[in-house]
Amino acid sequence: MAANRRPPKLCLHKPSGNARCWINGKEHWLGRYGTPECERRYRALIAHWARSPAETPPPPLPLNRVTIADVLAQYLIEIRGSDSGSKLRSNARWWLARSMAKELESLSSVRLTDLGPKMFAAWVADVAGQPIQRRGEMTTRTITHVRKIVAEFLRMIEWCVAEEIIGPEKLVALRAVRRLPVAAARPPEFRTPVDEAKYQTICQHLPPAFAAIVTVLRHSAARPSEVLRMTPAEIDMHSEQGVWLLFPNKHKTMRYGRPKCVVLGPRCQDAIRPWLAGVSTGDRIFTPASIARVSSASSIPTRKYRKATLVAEDIRRAVKIACRAAGIDQWVPYQLRHSSLTEFRQAGGLDAAQQQGGHSSSAVTERYAAADRSKAIAAAKLVG
């Protein structure tokens, strides 16, 4: 049988707008799709393939021809690695890189050698002042988000230096811009604890399974992903102190090699206990099947889930619908972590809140657990 001599096709990668083709199982990125530079590179690659079909190393690109779109495409591949779509869904670094890629469309055709501090500063100013739609209103990004995008861009330049695509002098030149022009962006919005009355109202409108999840979030300071992944095997129910100890197999700081323990008090135990019946040791406690198993006449309608697991977005959506049904201001489930850690700090001090939150530094805990102003008021009455 004769070997297949059909030339490899030039394909469009829709998320990034770049062109790519596969030769002998290897992926080659050729820059912005439809540009003359892309066509030139594709023809050079095919000519190389025609000469030696069995071995096709990518043709080297001169430094003065490498564009930001070229390195961006390779950088996204580097971040993605071998992760599947389900893993990328919870990869914050991937979504931040995608957000950066969208903002770099205006610089996609700029050669990397032409990018200087002034052009970099102008791009930052454009990102900060770019209008976006948020909750039906036109506004700008927060200063925090703009700084995250800029930091990710500098990490991409660092990666280019490590891959010897450019020299380190380019990174030094871009970092010379000390005062980033982010004045057009709006101030950051800090999450605050949820009002207790609003929390109680929402629990009455949520389906029983969602209400149990929200109750555990409120009184344990655990992250939504940790509660949704919770299995009976991760819970030590035989503690001598009368509490349950949750040891999540997967959590946010596990990449640093730090174990985490979440203490579950009586309220959390009462919320979890009814859902343990019929659940195997290694299965998740809260699933779409749990929602369908128990219904309530006063709860909001829920959609039919085709998947076997729940994610944090499902909880956020349910709380949003319940807030709308109750006619109160919308809040997000992650604010319950602030409420719980603030309560832990008031009851047991900063050390208790730090331990429950799984923070290595008390400075991080202070961002979640607000200081008790009533103590300052009492002190002021005595010495002020």
Side-chain angles (χ1 to χ4, degrees):
M1 183 176 179
N4 185 10
R5 299 286 297 175
R6 182 178 298 173
K9 280 187 175 183
L10 183 66
C11 303
L12 169 65
H13 183 250
K14 291 183 179 180
S16 65
N18 293 303
R20 59 181 176 174
C21 69
W22 282 267
I23 299 179
N24 296 336
K26 186 171 182 179
E27 192 176 24
H28 300 266
W29 291 83
L30 306 175
R32 299 295 290 180
Y33 188 86
T35 60
E37 187 70 16
C38 169
E39 294 294 334
R40 185 193 66 77
R41 292 172 182 171
Y42 176 65
R43 288 195 298 269
L45 192 63
I46 294 303
H48 192 98
W49 170 84
R51 289 193 300 268
S52 54
E55 185 177 354
T56 55
L61 288 175
L63 177 59
N64 59 358
R65 292 184 178 273
V66 176
T67 64
I68 292 180
D70 297 330
V71 298
L72 178 60
Q74 294 292 342
Y75 183 66
L76 290 174
I77 294 175
E78 180 72 15
I79 293 179
R80 177 166 186 166
S82 59
D83 289 348
S84 61
S86 58
K87 288 186 177 180
L88 288 175
R89 189 185 215 172
S90 57
N91 189 338
R93 179 80 181 280
W94 168 254
W95 291 110
L96 181 59
R98 288 287 300 272
S99 180
M100 176 196 67
K102 186 176 180 180
E103 299 301 330
L104 280 174
E105 289 182 358
S106 59
L107 299 180
S108 59
S109 59
V110 175
R111 295 178 180 178
L112 207 53
T113 53
D114 296 336
L115 180 65
K118 290 186 177 179
M119 185 182 296
F120 172 63
W123 172 73
V124 174
D126 290 341
V127 174
Q130 183 71 25
I132 59 172
Q133 189 172 11
R134 180 176 178 271
R135 295 179 182 175
E137 299 179 356
M138 297 303 297
T139 181
T140 57
R141 292 175 175 82
T142 62
I143 295 176
T144 304
H145 187 60
V146 174
R147 291 187 184 276
K148 286 183 179 180
I149 292 176
V150 173
E152 187 64 30
F153 178 79
L154 292 176
R155 275 194 291 265
M156 184 180 72
I157 301 299
E158 286 180 354
W159 175 81
C160 292
V161 173
E163 294 293 323
E164 298 184 354
I165 300 175
I166 56 173
E169 61 276 1
K170 179 63 66 177
L171 180 61
V172 174
L174 296 181
R175 282 185 170 169
V177 184
R178 294 296 181 186
R179 300 184 63 180
L180 295 174
V182 294
R186 57 190 169 91
E189 297 178 359
F190 296 101
R191 288 194 177 112
T192 57
V194 180
D195 183 71
E196 189 67 20
K198 293 181 179 180
Y199 156 72
Q200 295 291 348
T201 302
I202 291 305
C203 286
Q204 297 173 5
H205 286 78
L206 288 172
F210 278 140
I213 294 172
V214 169
T215 301
V216 176
L217 293 176
R218 170 63 182 84
H219 298 290
S220 70
R223 296 182 177 91
S225 59
E226 295 167 353
V227 175
L228 294 177
R229 295 195 192 106
M230 185 169 52
T231 64
E234 297 175 348
I235 305 177
D236 180 9
M237 304 181 186
H238 306 288
S239 174
E240 297 178 358
Q241 290 80 11
V243 297
W244 291 357
L245 303 179
L246 170 64
F247 299 93
N249 291 330
K250 294 181 67 176
H251 54 88
K252 184 178 179 180
T253 57
M254 65 180 299
R255 62 182 180 273
Y256 302 117
R258 301 174 190 149
K260 181 172 183 180
C261 174
V262 180
V263 182
L264 303 177
R267 295 178 181 176
C268 296
Q269 297 173 26
D270 294 341
I272 297 173
R273 193 176 285 110
W275 306 97
L276 293 173
V279 179
S280 301
T281 305
D283 293 342
R284 297 189 180 189
I285 298 174
F286 298 109
T287 62
S290 305
I291 302 172
R293 187 173 59 187
V294 181
S295 60
S296 173
S298 61
S299 62
I300 60 172
T302 57
R303 61 177 184 170
K304 293 183 179 180
Y305 293 91
R306 298 180 180 178
K307 52 191 177 182
T309 59
L310 293 171
V311 295
E313 176 64 20
D314 297 323
I315 309 301
R316 189 200 65 79
R317 185 185 295 109
V319 170
K320 178 181 178 180
I321 297 174
C323 289
R324 192 181 303 163
I328 61 177
D329 295 336
Q330 182 183 341
W331 51 271
V332 295
Y334 210 89
Q335 290 179 250
L336 296 172
R337 181 170 168 83
H338 293 254
S339 301
S340 184
L341 287 180
T342 300
E343 209 168 60
F344 267 87
R345 181 175 183 176
Q346 293 172 351
L350 188 60
D351 290 342
Q354 181 179 347
Q355 171 65 32
Q356 187 71 1
H359 299 142
S360 59
S361 171
S362 60
V364 179
T365 308
E366 289 177 345
R367 294 178 57 186
Y368 285 86
D372 191 358
R373 188 177 296 176
S374 61
K375 295 181 180 179
I377 294 174
K381 290 181 180 179
L382 296 175
V383 300

